[in-house]
């Protein structure tokens, strides 16, 4: 049996653990730069607010309902996510971390346990240990388990549902609109609706070949899963990424190269942290910058540039030199820049770095420098030891004016008890 | 003892991951080896005393003087373990007026009381004990005996 667990309004729930005044109130979490809604509580949903709504507009409309808006605090959400997953992982080793707030578990080993009480116990323990409420569904396949979770969230008082038999499966599929099926959205939804396919059940009754033809093998796998045949594999290990990137919009108009360089180096430094955390090195570096395409009255500029390194590297200081060289080539004076981004690709495991004939004589020195950099920052906090060219003031940073504290990762930010 | 490294396990545990090789002394070939090498164990760390369940452990800082009756003073750090079920005389953290407070919990028969041991805050009987929402149980209190000194003089006093 497959279990699917999904945190309820995860970002809002994380905030509520440390700020009880948000409990029971409509709460929205804002995108980078505090522009639009990325997550919301069920109270905010009930007001009619949706993801993607503009904050200024909804504040004008619903501010008097006591609507609270917060900047997204990914440091907090990331830590709370690990805690939830750790507790869930105490129940089975066969887990897939599907996203920051969702996981699958394969309980094929648990033949002789009462699944319902086992899973309810996990759900209650997650709530007690972390304060995060989760909804749980059980089904024959991943797609059915996900359907059961959806049903649990909307139709059950305790946020738990197990698909009991075939009749029950059909009942749930008839309940689920086709656009809400895992992976069906946008253009496929419109196509299916045009064909008279309205529910997940209708979809599951289509001939398999037709689904394959219409939606490729991905749609066909989903179709099989809804019919009770496991076709979507578990990804127990997080697959190695193809690339690591970081690109964020600025909070102000940036015109100078020095500011672009600061932002680029900060993003690059984050990428390099991730690279090294996964014991990878990269052979390809891409940077891009652009103006604000929505400011139609301003001159527009977009440029990307890439370089293939002779030897794969994971050193911040080497990639930084390369990135600065690239930036110098594409920077033009006289534009209001909106964003700069960095992307590292052609990732290789550390052990597989091919050095060339004219290997850098500084290899050992570089390794020591980076090791010290990481050791210092692991112990004293991110960027405590850093390159001065990354700057300090960071006026270009996107607004995050309503950011809550790093309650679980910063000594100075822990909750206050009176 | 060719290739034998003289290095404490703690040092190794701490730096192994980051591979800072020069923290490890090179093998020393001469002299009588320490008779303790086979008995070395990892040195105690402060965390050995505090966290039995890091996944469910959170920290809080005490502010003000209302908790002094239950032994919590300004700037004390509370280690809060959410995995614990409260038992009699535990200090629990709970949501209060949009923030957090701590109270001693006492059960007498079917009645549950929240106690501040403070004449300004008399004991409160919990109306519905089954639905008392406990944020977490205080498992340790970290005190800095010098924090009061620091506050009074603005700096740590000279070593006597």
């Amino acid at each position: 049996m497959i279990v699917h667990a999904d945190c309820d309004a995860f970002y809002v729930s994380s905030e509520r653990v440390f700020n009880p005044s948000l409990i029971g109130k409509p709460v929205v979490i804002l995108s980078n730069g505090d522009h639009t809604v990325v997550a919301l509580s069920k109270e905010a949903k009930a007001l009619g607010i949706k993801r993607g709504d503009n904050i200024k507009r909804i504040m004008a409309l619903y501010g008097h309902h006591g609507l609270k808006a917060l900047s997204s605090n990914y440091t907090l959400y990331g830590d709370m996510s690990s805690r939830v997953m750790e507790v869930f992982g105490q129940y089975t080793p066969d887990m897939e971390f599907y996203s920051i707030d969702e996981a699958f578990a394969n309980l094929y080993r648990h033949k002789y346990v009462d699944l319902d009480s086992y899973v309810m116990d996990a759900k209650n323990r997650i709530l007690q240990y972390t304060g995060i409420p989760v909804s749980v569904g059980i089904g024959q396949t991943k797609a059915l388990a996900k359907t059961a979770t959806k049903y649990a969230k909307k139709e059950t008082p305790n946020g738990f549902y197990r698909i009991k038999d075939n009749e029950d499966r059909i009942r749930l599929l008839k309940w689920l609109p086709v656009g809400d099926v895992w992976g069906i959205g946008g253009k496929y939804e419109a196509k299916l609706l045009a064909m008279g396919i309205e529910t997940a059940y209708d979809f599951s009754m289509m001939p398999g070949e037709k689904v394959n033809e219409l939606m490729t093998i991905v749609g066909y796998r989903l179709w099989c899963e809804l019919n009770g045949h496991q076709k979507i594999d578990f990804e127990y290990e997080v697959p190695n990424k193809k690339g690591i990137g970081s690109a964020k919009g600025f909070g102000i108009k940036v015109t100078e190269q020095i500011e672009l360089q600061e932002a680029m180096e900060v993003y690059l430094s984050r990428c390099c942290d991730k690279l090294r955390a996964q014991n990878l090195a990269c052979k390809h570096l891409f940077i891009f910058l652009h103006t604000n395409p929505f400011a139609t009255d301003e001159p527009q500029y977009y440029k990307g540039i890439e370089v293939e390194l002779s030897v794969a590297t994971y050193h911040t200081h080497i990639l930084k030199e390369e990135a600065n060289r690239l930036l110098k080539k594409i920077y033009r004076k006289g534009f209001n820049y909106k964003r700069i981004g960095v992307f590292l690709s052609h990732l290789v495991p550390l052990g597989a770095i091919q050095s060339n004939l004219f290997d850098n004589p500084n290899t050992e020195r570089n390794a020591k420098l980076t090791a010290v950099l990481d050791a210092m920052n692991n112990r004293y906090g991110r960027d405590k030891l850093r390159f001065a060219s990354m700057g300090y003031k960071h006026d270009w940073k996107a607004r995050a004016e309503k950011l809550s504290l790093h309650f679980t990762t910063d000594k100075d930010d822990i909750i206050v008890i009176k | 003892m060719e290739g034998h490294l003289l290095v404490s396990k703690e040092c190794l545990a701490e730096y192994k991951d980051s591979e800072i090789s020069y923290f490890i002394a090179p093998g020393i070939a001469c002299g009588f080896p320490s008779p303790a090498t086979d008995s070395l164990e990892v040195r105690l760390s402060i965390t050995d005393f505090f966290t039995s369940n890091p996944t469910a452990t959170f920290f809080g800082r005490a502010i003000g003087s209302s908790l002094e009756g239950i032994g919590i003073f300004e700037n004390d750090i509370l280690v809060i373990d959410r995995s614990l079920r409260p038992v009699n005389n535990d200090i629990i953290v709970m949501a209060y007026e949009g923030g957090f407070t701590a109270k001693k919990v006492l059960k007498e028969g079917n009645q549950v009381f929240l106690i501040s041991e403070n004449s300004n805050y008399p004991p409160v009987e919990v109306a519905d004990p089954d639905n008392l929402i406990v944020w977490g149980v205080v498992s340790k209190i970290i005190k800095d005996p010098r924090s009061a000194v620091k506050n009074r003089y603005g700096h740590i006093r000279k070593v006597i």
Side-chain angles (χ1 to χ4, degrees), chain A residues 17 83 86 127-129 131 372 379 411 415-418, chain B residues 14 22 55 57-58 60-61 63 82-83 85 100-101 135:
Chain A
V17 172
R83 288 176 189 254
E86 277 166 40
L127 178 63
Q128 188 196 333
Y129 281 23
V372 171
R379 178 180 274 198
K411 275 203 297 247
I415 59 169
V416 165
I417 297 165
K418 285 182 191 164
Chain B
E14 199 163 354
Y22 46 80
T55 306
T57 298
F58 297 87
R61 186 186 307 277
I63 298 292
R82 291 180 57 109
S83 70
R85 297 267 182 209
F100 294 98
T101 187
W135 197 86

PDB file of all heavy atoms in Angstrom, chain A residues 17 83 86 127-129 131 372 379 411 415-418, chain B residues 14 22 55 57-58 60-61 63 82-83 85 100-101 135:
ATOM      1  N   VAL A  17       3.194  28.004  13.949  1.00  0.00           N
ATOM      2  CA  VAL A  17       3.831  27.310  15.069  1.00  0.00           C
ATOM      3  C   VAL A  17       4.518  28.326  15.978  1.00  0.00           C
ATOM      4  O   VAL A  17       4.467  28.228  17.200  1.00  0.00           O
ATOM      5  CB  VAL A  17       4.850  26.267  14.560  1.00  0.00           C
ATOM      6  CG1 VAL A  17       5.666  25.685  15.712  1.00  0.00           C
ATOM      7  CG2 VAL A  17       4.152  25.157  13.803  1.00  0.00           C
ATOM      8  N   ARG A  83      12.073  18.560   9.619  1.00  0.00           N
ATOM      9  CA  ARG A  83      11.550  17.962  10.855  1.00  0.00           C
ATOM     10  C   ARG A  83      10.366  17.046  10.561  1.00  0.00           C
ATOM     11  O   ARG A  83      10.288  15.927  11.076  1.00  0.00           O
ATOM     12  CB  ARG A  83      11.136  19.063  11.839  1.00  0.00           C
ATOM     13  CG  ARG A  83      12.319  19.795  12.446  1.00  0.00           C
ATOM     14  CD  ARG A  83      11.844  20.932  13.327  1.00  0.00           C
ATOM     15  NE  ARG A  83      12.926  21.790  13.758  1.00  0.00           N
ATOM     16  CZ  ARG A  83      13.429  21.808  15.005  1.00  0.00           C
ATOM     17  NH1 ARG A  83      12.933  21.020  15.921  1.00  0.00           N
ATOM     18  NH2 ARG A  83      14.419  22.611  15.311  1.00  0.00           N
ATOM     19  N   GLU A  86      11.607  13.925   8.938  1.00  0.00           N
ATOM     20  CA  GLU A  86      12.320  13.064   9.886  1.00  0.00           C
ATOM     21  C   GLU A  86      11.343  12.244  10.719  1.00  0.00           C
ATOM     22  O   GLU A  86      11.559  11.053  10.953  1.00  0.00           O
ATOM     23  CB  GLU A  86      13.200  13.910  10.822  1.00  0.00           C
ATOM     24  CG  GLU A  86      14.547  14.284  10.223  1.00  0.00           C
ATOM     25  CD  GLU A  86      15.246  15.385  11.019  1.00  0.00           C
ATOM     26  OE1 GLU A  86      15.188  15.367  12.263  1.00  0.00           O
ATOM     27  OE2 GLU A  86      15.826  16.279  10.377  1.00  0.00           O
ATOM     28  N   LEU A 127       2.259  16.096  14.075  1.00  0.00           N
ATOM     29  CA  LEU A 127       1.624  17.296  14.622  1.00  0.00           C
ATOM     30  C   LEU A 127       2.200  17.623  16.008  1.00  0.00           C
ATOM     31  O   LEU A 127       2.525  18.778  16.294  1.00  0.00           O
ATOM     32  CB  LEU A 127       0.111  17.101  14.719  1.00  0.00           C
ATOM     33  CG  LEU A 127      -0.663  18.278  15.314  1.00  0.00           C
ATOM     34  CD1 LEU A 127      -0.534  19.529  14.441  1.00  0.00           C
ATOM     35  CD2 LEU A 127      -2.141  17.940  15.505  1.00  0.00           C
ATOM     36  N   GLN A 128       2.361  16.601  16.842  1.00  0.00           N
ATOM     37  CA  GLN A 128       2.856  16.866  18.198  1.00  0.00           C
ATOM     38  C   GLN A 128       4.313  17.361  18.171  1.00  0.00           C
ATOM     39  O   GLN A 128       4.654  18.359  18.796  1.00  0.00           O
ATOM     40  CB  GLN A 128       2.766  15.605  19.047  1.00  0.00           C
ATOM     41  CG  GLN A 128       3.082  15.881  20.521  1.00  0.00           C
ATOM     42  CD  GLN A 128       3.387  14.625  21.305  1.00  0.00           C
ATOM     43  OE1 GLN A 128       2.922  13.538  20.964  1.00  0.00           O
ATOM     44  NE2 GLN A 128       4.184  14.761  22.353  1.00  0.00           N
ATOM     45  N   TYR A 129       5.172  16.681  17.426  1.00  0.00           N
ATOM     46  CA  TYR A 129       6.603  17.004  17.437  1.00  0.00           C
ATOM     47  C   TYR A 129       6.899  18.343  16.757  1.00  0.00           C
ATOM     48  O   TYR A 129       7.785  19.076  17.162  1.00  0.00           O
ATOM     49  CB  TYR A 129       7.404  15.909  16.725  1.00  0.00           C
ATOM     50  CG  TYR A 129       7.649  14.674  17.548  1.00  0.00           C
ATOM     51  CD1 TYR A 129       6.834  14.339  18.619  1.00  0.00           C
ATOM     52  CD2 TYR A 129       8.717  13.814  17.240  1.00  0.00           C
ATOM     53  CE1 TYR A 129       7.058  13.195  19.350  1.00  0.00           C
ATOM     54  CE2 TYR A 129       8.951  12.672  17.987  1.00  0.00           C
ATOM     55  CZ  TYR A 129       8.118  12.358  19.037  1.00  0.00           C
ATOM     56  OH  TYR A 129       8.348  11.231  19.756  1.00  0.00           O
ATOM     57  N   GLY A 131       4.260  20.559  15.241  1.00  0.00           N
ATOM     58  CA  GLY A 131       3.190  21.548  15.192  1.00  0.00           C
ATOM     59  C   GLY A 131       2.566  21.687  13.811  1.00  0.00           C
ATOM     60  O   GLY A 131       1.701  22.524  13.607  1.00  0.00           O
ATOM     61  N   VAL A 372      38.455  25.303   4.363  1.00  0.00           N
ATOM     62  CA  VAL A 372      38.422  26.214   5.512  1.00  0.00           C
ATOM     63  C   VAL A 372      37.177  27.106   5.438  1.00  0.00           C
ATOM     64  O   VAL A 372      36.480  27.303   6.432  1.00  0.00           O
ATOM     65  CB  VAL A 372      39.697  27.084   5.570  1.00  0.00           C
ATOM     66  CG1 VAL A 372      39.559  28.177   6.617  1.00  0.00           C
ATOM     67  CG2 VAL A 372      40.900  26.213   5.885  1.00  0.00           C
ATOM     68  N   ARG A 379      30.371  26.293  11.047  1.00  0.00           N
ATOM     69  CA  ARG A 379      30.401  26.478  12.483  1.00  0.00           C
ATOM     70  C   ARG A 379      29.804  27.829  12.895  1.00  0.00           C
ATOM     71  O   ARG A 379      29.034  27.902  13.833  1.00  0.00           O
ATOM     72  CB  ARG A 379      31.845  26.379  12.978  1.00  0.00           C
ATOM     73  CG  ARG A 379      31.946  26.603  14.463  1.00  0.00           C
ATOM     74  CD  ARG A 379      33.363  26.493  14.934  1.00  0.00           C
ATOM     75  NE  ARG A 379      33.705  25.112  15.216  1.00  0.00           N
ATOM     76  CZ  ARG A 379      34.745  24.771  15.966  1.00  0.00           C
ATOM     77  NH1 ARG A 379      35.529  25.683  16.486  1.00  0.00           N
ATOM     78  NH2 ARG A 379      35.019  23.518  16.202  1.00  0.00           N
ATOM     79  N   LYS A 411      20.342  31.828  16.724  1.00  0.00           N
ATOM     80  CA  LYS A 411      20.305  31.977  18.192  1.00  0.00           C
ATOM     81  C   LYS A 411      19.555  33.237  18.621  1.00  0.00           C
ATOM     82  O   LYS A 411      18.943  33.262  19.677  1.00  0.00           O
ATOM     83  CB  LYS A 411      21.737  32.081  18.733  1.00  0.00           C
ATOM     84  CG  LYS A 411      22.416  30.761  18.982  1.00  0.00           C
ATOM     85  CD  LYS A 411      23.530  30.941  19.997  1.00  0.00           C
ATOM     86  CE  LYS A 411      24.604  31.856  19.503  1.00  0.00           C
ATOM     87  NZ  LYS A 411      25.909  31.306  19.234  1.00  0.00           N
ATOM     88  N   ILE A 415      12.013  31.928  19.937  1.00  0.00           N
ATOM     89  CA  ILE A 415      10.765  32.514  20.454  1.00  0.00           C
ATOM     90  C   ILE A 415      10.994  33.128  21.832  1.00  0.00           C
ATOM     91  O   ILE A 415      11.902  32.724  22.568  1.00  0.00           O
ATOM     92  CB  ILE A 415       9.618  31.477  20.535  1.00  0.00           C
ATOM     93  CG1 ILE A 415       9.994  30.298  21.431  1.00  0.00           C
ATOM     94  CG2 ILE A 415       9.178  31.022  19.162  1.00  0.00           C
ATOM     95  CD1 ILE A 415       8.813  29.387  21.750  1.00  0.00           C
ATOM     96  N   VAL A 416      10.165  34.100  22.165  1.00  0.00           N
ATOM     97  CA  VAL A 416      10.264  34.804  23.445  1.00  0.00           C
ATOM     98  C   VAL A 416       9.145  34.315  24.344  1.00  0.00           C
ATOM     99  O   VAL A 416       8.003  34.182  23.910  1.00  0.00           O
ATOM    100  CB  VAL A 416      10.142  36.323  23.194  1.00  0.00           C
ATOM    101  CG1 VAL A 416       9.881  37.061  24.482  1.00  0.00           C
ATOM    102  CG2 VAL A 416      11.398  36.831  22.515  1.00  0.00           C
ATOM    103  N   ILE A 417       9.498  34.004  25.589  1.00  0.00           N
ATOM    104  CA  ILE A 417       8.510  33.479  26.529  1.00  0.00           C
ATOM    105  C   ILE A 417       8.390  34.433  27.698  1.00  0.00           C
ATOM    106  O   ILE A 417       9.386  34.773  28.332  1.00  0.00           O
ATOM    107  CB  ILE A 417       8.929  32.067  26.985  1.00  0.00           C
ATOM    108  CG1 ILE A 417       8.936  31.135  25.772  1.00  0.00           C
ATOM    109  CG2 ILE A 417       7.979  31.548  28.049  1.00  0.00           C
ATOM    110  CD1 ILE A 417       9.646  29.855  25.977  1.00  0.00           C
ATOM    111  N   LYS A 418       7.148  34.879  27.943  1.00  0.00           N
ATOM    112  CA  LYS A 418       6.955  35.890  28.992  1.00  0.00           C
ATOM    113  C   LYS A 418       6.270  35.287  30.197  1.00  0.00           C
ATOM    114  O   LYS A 418       5.398  34.456  30.045  1.00  0.00           O
ATOM    115  CB  LYS A 418       6.092  37.034  28.439  1.00  0.00           C
ATOM    116  CG  LYS A 418       6.868  37.924  27.510  1.00  0.00           C
ATOM    117  CD  LYS A 418       5.978  39.064  27.049  1.00  0.00           C
ATOM    118  CE  LYS A 418       6.651  39.805  25.898  1.00  0.00           C
ATOM    119  NZ  LYS A 418       5.745  40.654  25.169  1.00  0.00           N
TER     120      LYS A 418
ATOM    121  N   GLU B  14      34.862  15.958  14.082  1.00  0.00           N
ATOM    122  CA  GLU B  14      34.453  17.298  13.719  1.00  0.00           C
ATOM    123  C   GLU B  14      34.969  17.693  12.326  1.00  0.00           C
ATOM    124  O   GLU B  14      34.303  18.398  11.599  1.00  0.00           O
ATOM    125  CB  GLU B  14      34.981  18.263  14.763  1.00  0.00           C
ATOM    126  CG  GLU B  14      34.251  19.582  14.748  1.00  0.00           C
ATOM    127  CD  GLU B  14      34.470  20.364  16.013  1.00  0.00           C
ATOM    128  OE1 GLU B  14      35.090  19.819  16.944  1.00  0.00           O
ATOM    129  OE2 GLU B  14      34.041  21.516  16.054  1.00  0.00           O
ATOM    130  N   TYR B  22      45.230  19.181   7.558  1.00  0.00           N
ATOM    131  CA  TYR B  22      46.321  19.621   8.420  1.00  0.00           C
ATOM    132  C   TYR B  22      45.915  19.785   9.874  1.00  0.00           C
ATOM    133  O   TYR B  22      46.686  20.192  10.706  1.00  0.00           O
ATOM    134  CB  TYR B  22      46.961  20.909   7.892  1.00  0.00           C
ATOM    135  CG  TYR B  22      45.972  21.954   7.495  1.00  0.00           C
ATOM    136  CD1 TYR B  22      45.382  22.757   8.440  1.00  0.00           C
ATOM    137  CD2 TYR B  22      45.624  22.105   6.142  1.00  0.00           C
ATOM    138  CE1 TYR B  22      44.454  23.710   8.068  1.00  0.00           C
ATOM    139  CE2 TYR B  22      44.701  23.047   5.774  1.00  0.00           C
ATOM    140  CZ  TYR B  22      44.126  23.852   6.741  1.00  0.00           C
ATOM    141  OH  TYR B  22      43.216  24.792   6.379  1.00  0.00           O
ATOM    142  N   THR B  55      14.704  16.484  16.650  1.00  0.00           N
ATOM    143  CA  THR B  55      13.628  16.765  15.698  1.00  0.00           C
ATOM    144  C   THR B  55      12.485  17.532  16.364  1.00  0.00           C
ATOM    145  O   THR B  55      11.838  18.361  15.743  1.00  0.00           O
ATOM    146  CB  THR B  55      13.082  15.442  15.126  1.00  0.00           C
ATOM    147  OG1 THR B  55      14.169  14.698  14.599  1.00  0.00           O
ATOM    148  CG2 THR B  55      12.076  15.689  14.039  1.00  0.00           C
ATOM    149  N   THR B  57      12.833  19.314  19.246  1.00  0.00           N
ATOM    150  CA  THR B  57      13.349  20.280  20.221  1.00  0.00           C
ATOM    151  C   THR B  57      13.409  21.691  19.629  1.00  0.00           C
ATOM    152  O   THR B  57      13.901  21.893  18.523  1.00  0.00           O
ATOM    153  CB  THR B  57      14.749  19.856  20.699  1.00  0.00           C
ATOM    154  OG1 THR B  57      14.628  18.588  21.347  1.00  0.00           O
ATOM    155  CG2 THR B  57      15.305  20.860  21.702  1.00  0.00           C
ATOM    156  N   PHE B  58      12.899  22.639  20.405  1.00  0.00           N
ATOM    157  CA  PHE B  58      12.921  24.048  20.013  1.00  0.00           C
ATOM    158  C   PHE B  58      13.463  24.849  21.191  1.00  0.00           C
ATOM    159  O   PHE B  58      13.521  24.344  22.303  1.00  0.00           O
ATOM    160  CB  PHE B  58      11.508  24.511  19.638  1.00  0.00           C
ATOM    161  CG  PHE B  58      10.940  23.791  18.450  1.00  0.00           C
ATOM    162  CD1 PHE B  58      10.268  22.583  18.612  1.00  0.00           C
ATOM    163  CD2 PHE B  58      11.100  24.289  17.168  1.00  0.00           C
ATOM    164  CE1 PHE B  58       9.766  21.899  17.513  1.00  0.00           C
ATOM    165  CE2 PHE B  58      10.584  23.617  16.069  1.00  0.00           C
ATOM    166  CZ  PHE B  58       9.917  22.424  16.238  1.00  0.00           C
ATOM    167  N   GLY B  60      13.618  28.692  23.403  1.00  0.00           N
ATOM    168  CA  GLY B  60      12.942  29.960  23.679  1.00  0.00           C
ATOM    169  C   GLY B  60      13.759  30.755  24.683  1.00  0.00           C
ATOM    170  O   GLY B  60      14.563  30.199  25.442  1.00  0.00           O
ATOM    171  N   ARG B  61      13.567  32.079  24.661  1.00  0.00           N
ATOM    172  CA  ARG B  61      14.279  32.939  25.600  1.00  0.00           C
ATOM    173  C   ARG B  61      13.272  33.583  26.558  1.00  0.00           C
ATOM    174  O   ARG B  61      12.239  34.085  26.116  1.00  0.00           O
ATOM    175  CB  ARG B  61      15.030  34.028  24.827  1.00  0.00           C
ATOM    176  CG  ARG B  61      15.929  34.909  25.696  1.00  0.00           C
ATOM    177  CD  ARG B  61      16.530  36.046  24.871  1.00  0.00           C
ATOM    178  NE  ARG B  61      17.206  35.553  23.677  1.00  0.00           N
ATOM    179  CZ  ARG B  61      18.462  35.087  23.668  1.00  0.00           C
ATOM    180  NH1 ARG B  61      19.174  35.097  24.756  1.00  0.00           N
ATOM    181  NH2 ARG B  61      18.978  34.648  22.545  1.00  0.00           N
ATOM    182  N   ILE B  63      11.759  36.358  28.983  1.00  0.00           N
ATOM    183  CA  ILE B  63      11.805  37.812  29.086  1.00  0.00           C
ATOM    184  C   ILE B  63      10.928  38.233  30.267  1.00  0.00           C
ATOM    185  O   ILE B  63       9.863  37.654  30.488  1.00  0.00           O
ATOM    186  CB  ILE B  63      11.254  38.454  27.781  1.00  0.00           C
ATOM    187  CG1 ILE B  63      12.106  38.082  26.576  1.00  0.00           C
ATOM    188  CG2 ILE B  63      11.148  39.972  27.910  1.00  0.00           C
ATOM    189  CD1 ILE B  63      13.493  38.657  26.557  1.00  0.00           C
ATOM    190  N   ARG B  82       8.988  18.969  22.396  1.00  0.00           N
ATOM    191  CA  ARG B  82       7.570  18.742  22.071  1.00  0.00           C
ATOM    192  C   ARG B  82       7.212  17.262  22.057  1.00  0.00           C
ATOM    193  O   ARG B  82       6.036  16.913  21.949  1.00  0.00           O
ATOM    194  CB  ARG B  82       7.232  19.363  20.708  1.00  0.00           C
ATOM    195  CG  ARG B  82       7.257  20.888  20.695  1.00  0.00           C
ATOM    196  CD  ARG B  82       6.901  21.415  19.315  1.00  0.00           C
ATOM    197  NE  ARG B  82       5.617  20.932  18.871  1.00  0.00           N
ATOM    198  CZ  ARG B  82       4.528  21.687  18.762  1.00  0.00           C
ATOM    199  NH1 ARG B  82       4.560  22.951  19.041  1.00  0.00           N
ATOM    200  NH2 ARG B  82       3.391  21.156  18.330  1.00  0.00           N
ATOM    201  N   SER B  83       8.218  16.381  22.135  1.00  0.00           N
ATOM    202  CA  SER B  83       7.893  14.953  22.110  1.00  0.00           C
ATOM    203  C   SER B  83       7.423  14.472  23.483  1.00  0.00           C
ATOM    204  O   SER B  83       6.874  13.394  23.607  1.00  0.00           O
ATOM    205  CB  SER B  83       9.101  14.135  21.657  1.00  0.00           C
ATOM    206  OG  SER B  83      10.101  14.139  22.646  1.00  0.00           O
ATOM    207  N   ARG B  85       5.152  14.189  26.856  1.00  0.00           N
ATOM    208  CA  ARG B  85       3.795  14.405  27.361  1.00  0.00           C
ATOM    209  C   ARG B  85       3.942  15.012  28.751  1.00  0.00           C
ATOM    210  O   ARG B  85       4.716  14.509  29.555  1.00  0.00           O
ATOM    211  CB  ARG B  85       3.048  13.078  27.474  1.00  0.00           C
ATOM    212  CG  ARG B  85       2.858  12.383  26.138  1.00  0.00           C
ATOM    213  CD  ARG B  85       1.525  12.766  25.543  1.00  0.00           C
ATOM    214  NE  ARG B  85       1.317  12.056  24.274  1.00  0.00           N
ATOM    215  CZ  ARG B  85       0.582  12.553  23.292  1.00  0.00           C
ATOM    216  NH1 ARG B  85       0.044  13.744  23.424  1.00  0.00           N
ATOM    217  NH2 ARG B  85       0.397  11.867  22.192  1.00  0.00           N
ATOM    218  N   PHE B 100       3.948  33.629  23.794  1.00  0.00           N
ATOM    219  CA  PHE B 100       4.127  32.409  24.571  1.00  0.00           C
ATOM    220  C   PHE B 100       4.341  32.729  26.046  1.00  0.00           C
ATOM    221  O   PHE B 100       4.905  33.759  26.407  1.00  0.00           O
ATOM    222  CB  PHE B 100       5.336  31.626  24.054  1.00  0.00           C
ATOM    223  CG  PHE B 100       5.161  31.105  22.668  1.00  0.00           C
ATOM    224  CD1 PHE B 100       5.702  31.802  21.590  1.00  0.00           C
ATOM    225  CD2 PHE B 100       4.453  29.945  22.421  1.00  0.00           C
ATOM    226  CE1 PHE B 100       5.536  31.342  20.289  1.00  0.00           C
ATOM    227  CE2 PHE B 100       4.284  29.475  21.126  1.00  0.00           C
ATOM    228  CZ  PHE B 100       4.829  30.167  20.061  1.00  0.00           C
ATOM    229  N   THR B 101       3.876  31.809  26.902  1.00  0.00           N
ATOM    230  CA  THR B 101       4.179  31.907  28.320  1.00  0.00           C
ATOM    231  C   THR B 101       4.520  30.512  28.825  1.00  0.00           C
ATOM    232  O   THR B 101       4.333  29.525  28.118  1.00  0.00           O
ATOM    233  CB  THR B 101       2.989  32.506  29.103  1.00  0.00           C
ATOM    234  OG1 THR B 101       3.404  32.735  30.454  1.00  0.00           O
ATOM    235  CG2 THR B 101       1.784  31.588  29.084  1.00  0.00           C
ATOM    236  N   TRP B 135       2.183  23.747  24.039  1.00  0.00           N
ATOM    237  CA  TRP B 135       3.093  23.930  22.902  1.00  0.00           C
ATOM    238  C   TRP B 135       4.289  22.989  23.036  1.00  0.00           C
ATOM    239  O   TRP B 135       4.777  22.432  22.068  1.00  0.00           O
ATOM    240  CB  TRP B 135       3.553  25.390  22.844  1.00  0.00           C
ATOM    241  CG  TRP B 135       4.145  25.771  21.529  1.00  0.00           C
ATOM    242  CD1 TRP B 135       3.477  26.196  20.424  1.00  0.00           C
ATOM    243  CD2 TRP B 135       5.536  25.770  21.165  1.00  0.00           C
ATOM    244  NE1 TRP B 135       4.354  26.452  19.403  1.00  0.00           N
ATOM    245  CE2 TRP B 135       5.624  26.197  19.832  1.00  0.00           C
ATOM    246  CE3 TRP B 135       6.706  25.438  21.854  1.00  0.00           C
ATOM    247  CZ2 TRP B 135       6.831  26.313  19.165  1.00  0.00           C
ATOM    248  CZ3 TRP B 135       7.919  25.546  21.184  1.00  0.00           C
ATOM    249  CH2 TRP B 135       7.972  25.984  19.846  1.00  0.00           C
TER     250      TRP B 135
END
